[in-house]
Amino acid sequence: MPKPKLKPLIAGNWKMNGLRSAAKDLRQIANQLVKPPKAKADVLICPPAQLLWPFKEVVRGTPVRLGAQDCHVNVSGAHTGDISASMMADIGARAIIVGHSERRTDHGERNALVHQKAEAALGAGLMAIICVGETEAERDAGMAIRVISKQLKESVPAASTSKNTVVAYEPVWAIGTGRTPTSDDIQKAHKALRTRLQKRFGADGDRFRLLYGGSVKPANAVEILSIENVNGALVGGASLKAADFVPIVRAAG
Ligand code: PGA
């Protein structure tokens, strides 16, 4: 059976960067992507939560969609400082990143919690972008595939389908470091994730988009995006400015 052709997704993760004045950067990204050629990828920007509402206006009528970076597992309640998935949806998010390694490190998030957060995102009608990735020590110990397979198994909920869930492979040691795995290592990791999704979800496992993340930039985007089973990218630092982000979007097709 021929492999289904998946529309790539280029997602920008702004992390804890951006005041309201960053609307000008988003406007530049959106304006450039409105111009031909039509972007061949779905384009998502995940700013800090307080910018979702003002940014909604900025992306109106453009190919750029907005997403959030995290959510609480519950819909509402006594959870000081937290924001629910439905609240993010209410102010313009279409997707939520869950299980990013910075959440796992800064907040001690484990697979079971990531699983619940992914369920919360799906419950709010949002796409869940579920992140997995090994540390450098785990890679050096030859455990990378084992680690990401376990994260995948324990973090992806039963309600996931290829339409509502995206999996991002982000080696922790490649995030924000300028270092990337070899194409061969990326290919092996994505192949392992694909195989496990096929086992669990049958034919639909072929249609889940698998993003690579970790030091993606204009100079390496074409090569990374051409690797088998890489169906897009999750971009941190290079998603903040049009000059970096737009060429990555253009590299996807
Ligand atoms: P980076 O971050 O592109 O800055 O390495 C990627 C990510 O954390 O999603």
Side-chain angles (χ1 to χ4, degrees), residues 16 24 40 49-50 73 96 111 127 133 141 146 177 210 225 232:
M16 200 171 74
K24 70 175 186 320
K40 299 224 172 54
Q50 95 285 4
V73 300
I96 303 192
N111 294 339
M127 175 193 281
R146 206 181 320 159
T177 59
L210 299 177
L225 291 168

Side-chain angles (χ1 to χ4, degrees), residues 11-238:
N13 173 11
W14 278 21
K15 309 191 179 184
M16 200 171 74
N17 295 294
L19 302 175
R20 280 181 301 158
S21 56
K24 70 175 186 320
D25 298 308
L26 181 65
R27 195 168 291 114
Q28 278 181 7
I29 291 171
N31 286 348
Q32 290 187 26
L33 291 175
V34 165
K35 293 193 195 127
K38 195 169 179 293
K40 299 224 172 54
D42 289 332
V43 182
L44 186 74
I45 291 285
C46 303
Q50 95 285 4
L51 292 178
L52 283 169
W53 182 246
F55 279 12
K56 200 164 180 259
E57 271 312 306
V58 178
V59 300
R60 193 184 296 278
T62 81
V64 179
R65 299 287 172 266
L66 298 175
Q69 301 173 12
D70 177 50
C71 64
H72 193 271
V73 300
N74 291 345
V75 173
S76 62
H79 303 287
T80 302
D82 278 312
I83 307 178
S84 73
S86 55
M87 290 169 178
M88 303 291 191
D90 187 46
I91 56 170
R94 306 286 189 92
I96 303 192
I97 300 169
V98 295
H100 190 281
S101 75
E102 286 150 16
R103 299 287 319 169
R104 292 176 188 261
T105 308
D106 292 355
H107 301 274
E109 295 192 3
R110 310 294 292 266
N111 294 339
L113 182 67
V114 175
H115 182 282
Q116 285 183 295
K117 290 188 173 193
E119 280 181 331
L122 302 185
L126 300 178
M127 175 193 281
I129 301 177
I130 302 175
C131 301
V132 300
E134 81 286 358
T135 63
E136 187 155 35
E138 288 163 343
R139 169 155 294 269
D140 290 346
M143 284 167 48
I145 300 291
R146 206 181 320 159
V147 167
I148 62 174
S149 300
K150 185 173 187 318
Q151 288 173 336
L152 185 81
K153 181 166 177 237
E154 295 179 2
S155 307
V156 176
S160 280
T161 70
S162 61
K163 288 206 160 48
N164 64 23
T165 300
V166 170
V167 174
Y169 169 58
E170 298 206 303
V172 178
W173 53 274
I175 294 175
T177 59
R179 296 164 59 206
T180 51
T182 63
S183 294
D184 193 46
D185 284 338
I186 296 176
Q187 197 255 327
K188 284 198 181 101
H190 280 239
K191 176 77 191 156
L193 295 172
R194 175 70 69 211
T195 304
R196 280 151 185 82
L197 287 169
Q198 285 164 334
K199 278 213 182 94
R200 181 157 167 206
F201 294 99
D204 197 38
D206 270 330
R207 292 189 285 266
F208 278 70
R209 287 183 290 190
L210 299 177
L211 312 186
Y212 168 78
S215 298
V216 176
K217 44 186 184 268
N220 61 21
V222 171
E223 183 179 344
I224 289 174
L225 291 168
S226 68
I227 298 169
E228 198 184 351
N229 284 309
V230 174
N231 314 114
L234 182 53
V235 186

